[in-house]
Amino acid sequence: MKAKQMNVVEKILSAHLVEGDPAKDPELGIRIDQTLTQDATGTMAYLQFESMGVPRVKTDLSVSYVDHNTVQIGFENADDHDFLQSVAKKYGIVYSKCGNGICHQLHLERFGKPGTTLLGSDSHTPTGGGVGQIAIGAGGIDIAVAMAGGAFHIPTPKVRAIVLKGKLRKGVSAKDVILKVLEKFGTKGNVGWIFEYTGPGVATLDVPSRATIANMGAELGVTTSVFPSDAVTKQFLAAQGRAKDFVKIVADKGAKYDDTFTVDLSKVEPMMAAPHSPGNVVTVKSKKGLKVNQIMIGSCTNSSYRDIRTVALYLKGKHVADDVEVGIACGSRQVINMLAKDGSLAILHAAGCRMLENACGFCIGAHMSPRTGAVSLRTNNRNFEGRSGTKSAQVYLVSPETAAASALTGKVELPTKNPVAAVPSPKKFPIDDAMFLYRATAGKGVKGAEIVRGPNIAPVPKGEPLAKDLKGVAAIKVGDKITTDHIMPAGARLKFRSNIPQYAKFVFEPCDPKFHDNCLANKEKGLANVIIAGESYGQGSSREHAALCPMYLGVKAVIAKSIERIHRANLVNFGIVPFFFENPKDYDKVAAGDALELKGIRDAVAGDGVLEVKGPKGTFRVKAALSDREKHLLLCGGLLASL
Ligand code: MIC
Ligand code: SF4
């Protein structure tokens, strides 16, 4: 009998399937080949890994990157870096030193392998889809389980083919393509999907462009995005000195998809995401002439050699406008090295750009916050309100081409007016892996290595088994599209990531600064805190702190109209029941501060997930759609408590 024709997703997943049947089960368990962490989520991931008592990582490769908290004001960041380095040495993890670059760019350059699975404690891990990897973002504890050899669970995916045809016009690039896809599918309603890019247009995109598209697929809320591994991938890997990592993975002729959407690349216009959502997509043309105060270029979405070299070509022999501040953060040392050799760095300096560290930096609001009310054009992937560090700033997400063209006039400009020549894919990238430590002991670890723990590293709190009945309080009521940046702000608060009691002080800081105190007061009275939310609760980052810190504050349930994938998984991992309103209109029946009775919650979780909640305005039904695995975790009080 002829084997079924498979798409790329089916090929990779079927080769990694360890639990579940895609034809009938709602959840699949897959084997993870590689993991990555970054420092802001990594400390927790490794503390959790440590508490599992496994002597060394069991993956093919695990890499610990330091790229988020690099500003080092105070001792906390440096303490975290030391801890991470010592953990890497002990457990057989490759350690990417601070200064090496941004995790996703580095992983793509040096480690991403077609046909493998990668799990990362960062929502932009899908960048690996650019080289035909099934790369998924998850909470730190899921990475810890994967490093210990456990499976990772995903909702059985529906696969949408994004068929690319034609070729991009000069001045239009990958960022415009993903913004076009976001314009169509938005930032909600895509949970459980995987987007597979296919069609003749794929061959016209180089690997960095594919990676940009896969990276920002995270904003759609999909499980991941993936490109085939073809001749372009082969050339890229060979140029990175990794020809042996290449395997061809393309969809079989006649492979089936659950849905198809076609993008004619030749018709894509320069696009931008207007404040305050990556899904708020408009054309650059519609904003032409808008005065701009700041332009930030880089982040894991657009910091490749191709991107920054393109910016240099736009700025060559010119100067940025007087009243605009331009900052550039490259993705890796390899990128900087190439820009130094071909003269681009000199061009950018001469043009008046501020050359920033090759780290997340501005993207996460760690520095370079714009002035009050500023218009800031940025090439990163998220423009949630306040993420830049300035609440009143109007952040627009754009391509490097639009950023560069606009830098010259200080106004939004069309990059297609005076486009520059395409940057050819380098034949050979300069390779310098000196800042990846412990490559020789990867997978083995170093016997007797001691873990270094500064005072900022606090133990991980554990959850408690779910009670039979709960008397609770609606500790907060929020609206639609609440992001993890609202729940657990990063920026200036980021340095407390390894210290839960301290970080928990800032839960919901942008929405209700009293949340922490109120929750602790309720907890003291023996009341369970409940979060009431609208659609797409928990969009954005993979940070498990957005579940872990609420757990610490006594939050036992979230009742929302809908919850995004990674955040929902994090809630379960930390023993918080993710309910949705059976009738979304019941959202109006609850107000902040209402006393809520969740009688029989334990039986409901163990059974069909349906619970009648009693509030001052009557009762309403909520439901948690849970797999048996998730039920078990919730009843135990979370993953760590279940071990
Ligand atoms: C982000 O872009 O929001 C982050 C910071 O990279 C997060 C991870 C984190 O919160 O540490 C992400 O995308 O998962
Ligand atoms: Fe870093 Fe920004 Fe990428 Fe997150 S989105 S990994 S903060 S560069």
Side-chain angles (χ1 to χ4, degrees), residues 174-195:
K175 184 61 149 282
D176 304 305
V177 178
I178 184 62
L179 287 172
K180 197 76 203 153
V181 175
L182 272 155
E183 180 188 48
K184 168 74 184 166
F185 294 103
T187 57
K188 63 185 177 86
N190 303 310
V191 173
W193 284 86
I194 296 183
F195 281 20

Side-chain angles (χ1 to χ4, degrees), residues 489-504:
R493 310 301 184 201
L494 204 56
K495 65 180 183 183
F496 301 121
R497 279 287 175 90
S498 316
N499 188 337
I500 299 305
Q502 185 61 29
Y503 198 32

Side-chain angles (χ1 to χ4, degrees), residues 581-605:
F581 289 99
E582 269 206 343
N583 176 2
K585 288 210 176 87
D586 286 339
Y587 171 83
D588 302 326
K589 278 196 186 158
V590 204
D594 279 359
L596 299 174
E597 215 174 298
L598 290 82
K599 202 161 182 286
I601 185 169
R602 188 172 173 92
D603 286 347
V605 165

Side-chain angles (χ1 to χ4, degrees), residues 88-150:
K89 186 171 183 183
K90 176 165 174 154
Y91 291 111
I93 298 157
V94 174
Y95 180 68
S96 170
K97 273 178 90 174
C98 189
N100 202 20
I102 304 175
C103 57
H104 307 303
Q105 173 68 23
L106 287 168
H107 206 84
L108 190 79
E109 288 172 2
R110 306 302 307 137
F111 303 116
K113 262 195 202 178
T116 62
T117 52
L118 165 69
L119 194 69
S121 62
D122 191 282
S123 63
H124 293 104
T125 304
T127 312
V131 287
Q133 223 179 2
I134 290 284
I136 305 178
I141 197 162
D142 286 320
I143 315 305
V145 169
M147 289 190 294

Side-chain angles (χ1 to χ4, degrees), residues 73-74 224 262 266 291 624:
I73 298 175
T224 190
T262 301
S266 63
K291 191 159 167 27

Side-chain angles (χ1 to χ4, degrees), residues 67-68 102-104 122 124 215 299-300 360 363-364 381 387:
D67 54 1
H68 278 61
I102 304 175
C103 57
H104 307 303
D122 191 282
H124 293 104
N215 169 291
S299 94
C300 59
C360 297
C363 172
I364 197 184
N381 43 37
R387 181 176 163 102

Side-chain angles (χ1 to χ4, degrees), residues 302-313:
N302 280 118
S303 61
S304 63
Y305 169 71
R306 180 241 166 255
D307 289 333
I308 313 296
R309 173 71 184 153
T310 302
V311 171
L313 293 177

